[in-house]
Amino acid sequence: MSGIWIPTRELTVLGVHPELGFQSGVRMQNFSAQLVLTIRFLNTQNSFWAKRIHSNDSLYKTNHFYGPYIGVDCGRRLYSFRKSEIHLIYGLGFDASTVLKHIRKNEYRCEDVRSYNLNFGIGYKHYFKKSSYVGIEAKYNIVDYRLNGVIDLKGDYVSIRISYGYFE
């Protein structure tokens, strides 16, 4: 899967980022569950302030942004027609991003923002033949990157993903 990460409110300073990832799961009748792993990458266009909480508690201006999301997404088929279906999607996961790189070995280590991730949205899948599909999903992700004190920016984000998959 690939997609885009679109922040809201104060997090907009971080800008839009591409995502790459994969998912694997099961489907039974109208319900599905997937393990999802995505990686966001590319530096931000705008600089922002981050704190080195594990070394000297000083603020640094940075534009570094790289990190994973790992979680479980569940789905409920709402509507099915011919070779297509629409799903309600909801999930829970762990969200993180490295915002400060390490400086000098063993002196200033990397600093990450970490958060829970509660998400919900809607998805569409179109099936080809009997074992593959292409899909698109849009989700609203509730996070709090302020939890560990590295950044003080409040906001959530929207993720839009396109996926290609196959199943047995």
Side-chain angles (χ1 to χ4, degrees):
M1 74 172 56
S2 67
I4 55 174
W5 182 90
I6 306 166
T8 66
R9 297 184 295 181
E10 293 174 13
L11 286 180
T12 58
V13 71
L14 302 177
V16 174
H17 292 274
E19 289 184 315
L20 289 175
F22 69 91
Q23 65 185 10
S24 180
V26 296
R27 183 175 86 171
M28 288 188 249
Q29 295 179 343
N30 291 330
F31 295 95
S32 64
Q34 293 84 236
L35 176 64
V36 179
L37 174 64
T38 63
I39 302 290
R40 294 177 297 269
F41 53 95
L42 293 184
N43 287 340
T44 64
Q45 289 182 342
N46 304 308
S47 296
F48 60 97
W49 292 98
K51 186 186 287 188
R52 287 203 181 274
I53 61 171
H54 292 99
S55 53
N56 61 6
D57 267 349
S58 294
L59 286 172
Y60 292 84
K61 212 166 201 181
T62 183
N63 69 341
H64 189 70
F65 189 83
Y66 172 83
Y69 163 79
I70 185 166
V72 175
D73 287 359
C74 297
R76 165 84 163 94
R77 185 175 15 193
L78 296 176
Y79 185 68
S80 181
F81 50 100
R82 293 189 183 176
K83 294 182 177 184
S84 299
E85 50 190 42
I86 296 174
H87 300 266
L88 177 65
I89 305 166
Y90 46 95
L92 174 65
F94 172 75
D95 208 305
S97 288
T98 300
V99 295
L100 288 171
K101 298 182 211 177
H102 75 278
I103 302 173
R104 287 181 250 135
K105 194 172 185 175
N106 298 327
E107 280 191 48
Y108 300 110
R109 64 183 250 196
C110 293
E111 293 291 352
D112 303 323
V113 293
R114 299 181 184 121
S115 177
Y116 56 83
N117 180 309
L118 301 171
N119 57 72
F120 58 91
I122 194 156
Y124 168 82
K125 287 183 181 175
H126 178 78
Y127 293 93
F128 301 104
K129 299 190 180 184
K130 294 186 181 196
S131 61
S132 64
Y133 67 89
V134 64
I136 186 166
E137 65 182 35
K139 294 194 304 184
Y140 188 80
N141 298 263
I142 300 167
V143 294
D144 188 355
Y145 288 150
R146 301 170 303 161
L147 289 175
N148 64 347
V150 174
I151 65 173
D152 192 26
L153 300 172
K154 186 175 183 174
D156 301 316
Y157 67 89
V158 173
S159 57
I160 300 173
R161 297 178 182 145
I162 296 173
S163 60
Y164 172 78
Y166 62 92
F167 54 92
E168 292 183 12

